[in-house]
Amino acid sequence: MRRVRLYDTTLRDGTQGEGVSFSVKDKIKIAQRLDELGVDYIEGGWPGSNPKDIEFFRAIQDVPLLHAKIAAFGSTRRANVPVEDDYNIKALAASNTPVVTIVGKSWDFHVTAALRTTLEENLRMISDSVSYFKKLGKEVIYDAEHFFDGFKNNPDYAVDTLRVAQEASADCLVLCDTNGGVLTIPLQDIVEEMLALFKNVPMGIHAHNDSGVAIANTLVAVMAGVEHVQGTINGYGERCGNANLCSVIPNLELKMGVRCLGDGMLANLTHLSRYVSELANLSHDERQPYVGHSSFAHKGGIHVSAVQRAAQTYEHIDPEKVGNHRRVLVSELSGRSSILYKATEYGLDLDKDDPHTREIIEKLKRLEYEGYQFEAAEGSFELLMREAMGEHNPFFHLEGFRVIVEKKGDLPTLSEATIKVRVGDEVVHTAAEGDGPVHALDRALRKALEQIYPALKDIRLTDFKVRVLDEKAGTAALVRVLIESSNDGKSWETVGVSENIIEASWQALVDSIEYGLLKTISQKELEVEQA
Ligand SMILES: [Zn+2]
């Protein structure tokens, strides 16, 4: 089987993406994960550009890696400066990495306009910089910046830049679409032409996504014969990002028969992708191919019933291969098969002829029409199903609540809630203050219920989202509240809808507590039974 070498630049090009920033510790952790996955090269940063990258190169030397080589990235020496005196070159050498990646200009216009030097001097800059690191015994990768634009503008010169890099013994020539503007077919033509010209040196591809085709450009370059592939996890990178390795890798391995990871490592891809999102402190792109939460989520009724019969009807690959999983979403588009699928998931005994099935579907459609959404509120949906089937007795009943919000002059706003709930024959009446009306209500409700259900102490409210729904123009705006709660590493979402934000929050809050108690208490009973 053919194999290409993967060169990850999440820690360098990736951090140039808007909103992406990693601490040195984060960078080390990501490097370790990439190494475990079997990535061949990890570009750690540009030591000439910032002290954080210098610190990374120092720290990574003490980290044992199984397979990957660490690369330091930097530009060719400046014009008219001896290579050994150049600040950037010195910083690269000081990084003490086995691999050095030198980026040089291929586009004549950049040489004269940006570097303001002669075309001949630029060739010497490339040659001197590559030779310098070869003499130090390094593996040198040459990144030909703006290669495709340069080639279109002045093909002879662009080729000359590659030739001097090759003559200086570069180990790989990487064609870079630095501004991401080249479409796939012209790119393929140029890559093929270069592969024919440079037969004795491996070539690579570095694609940006400004035209939305970075992944396609990378794949055709591999088809054409490049042996070295650059990209980033989750496609992070300057502007619209780099070629997303989370798509490139499975496309290569599963669809093109090209190996690029260690044995059995593909199944860790989804996990790695989420891990990197988490360290970047960015919300995970759930719609990205292969590794998103939605990548194998089925919503349309026909899709769901077909997938249950044969998954390949609507799934291009088995989700487990990349460590992802199939999901069935409940919504107004759901038919019987989705409801039955969920019943099995929840451990409920329901079959297609059960009148409850129709009843649940109708209720679901009506509620979604009213503005509820259960795709992201499965806690509420499970309760809805259980209640419809007569399998859930509420843990408490509301007798009434009152919420007061008070603002006086410049003093902070005060919120206070009083609440009366009934549990069996017992009526509990409490009051609490909070940072806002919903917080006050949550605290008062908990105060009342914790006396009876101590398990509630461990259930925490972890997220609260409000959305104004404008789908029904002409009436007062509805608001939808989504609450996420968690206990012991498990989390669940619940929903409420009303024209009144307190009412909507209350509904979501009640479901969140009912669901939490249902899971905690039935789990405890199970443990007692087993003991
Ligand atoms: Zn780049």
Side-chain angles (χ1 to χ4, degrees), residues 13 206 208 242:
D13 230 352
H206 176 108
H208 276 263
N242 288 57

Side-chain angles (χ1 to χ4, degrees), residues 77-94:
R77 69 160 172 83
R78 279 169 301 152
N80 312 311
V81 172
V83 66
E84 61 279 5
D85 295 342
D86 185 273
Y87 166 78
N88 244 311
I89 299 284
K90 281 185 186 170
L92 276 172

Side-chain angles (χ1 to χ4, degrees), residues 9 12-13 16 73 143 176-178 206-208 230 238-239 242:
T9 178
R12 201 272 305 169
D13 230 352
Q16 288 172 226
F73 175 93
D143 272 9
C176 303
D177 180 19
T178 309
H206 176 108
H208 276 263
Q230 300 196 353
E238 195 89 53
R239 304 177 312 277
N242 288 57

Side-chain angles (χ1 to χ4, degrees), residues 394-515:
F395 289 95
F396 64 95
H397 296 273
L398 174 72
E399 298 270 306
F401 67 69
R402 174 180 292 160
V403 181
I404 297 165
V405 179
E406 189 181 29
K407 175 84 179 160
K408 275 186 191 162
D410 292 336
L411 295 171
T413 308
L414 294 175
S415 302
E416 192 195 274
T418 52
I419 194 165
K420 202 195 263 187
V421 292
R422 183 165 49 77
V423 178
D425 298 332
E426 200 176 337
V427 173
V428 195
H429 194 170
T430 55
E433 287 180 345
D435 294 331
V438 176
H439 185 229
L441 196 54
D442 178 47
R443 290 185 66 187
L445 179 62
R446 284 162 183 278
K447 214 163 138 188
L449 294 177
E450 271 173 17
Q451 310 167 16
I452 302 154
Y453 302 114
L456 205 53
K457 286 199 178 73
D458 302 324
I459 297 173
R460 290 181 309 116
L461 201 151
T462 45
D463 198 11
F464 180 83
K465 285 195 198 93
V466 179
R467 168 162 298 184
V468 176
L469 306 175
D470 55 2
E471 285 139 5
K472 293 191 186 71
T475 58
L478 284 172
V479 290
R480 177 165 64 223
V481 169
L482 280 174
I483 286 182
E484 185 193 77
S485 313
S486 67
N487 177 18
D488 203 15
K490 287 191 254 330
S491 68
W492 58 94
E493 290 84 27
T494 53
V495 63
V497 172
S498 169
E499 286 172 5
N500 182 322
I501 188 171
I502 305 283
E503 168 63 25
S505 308
W506 168 256
Q507 292 170 11
L509 196 60
V510 168
D511 274 7
S512 122
I513 286 174
E514 283 285 340
Y515 185 88

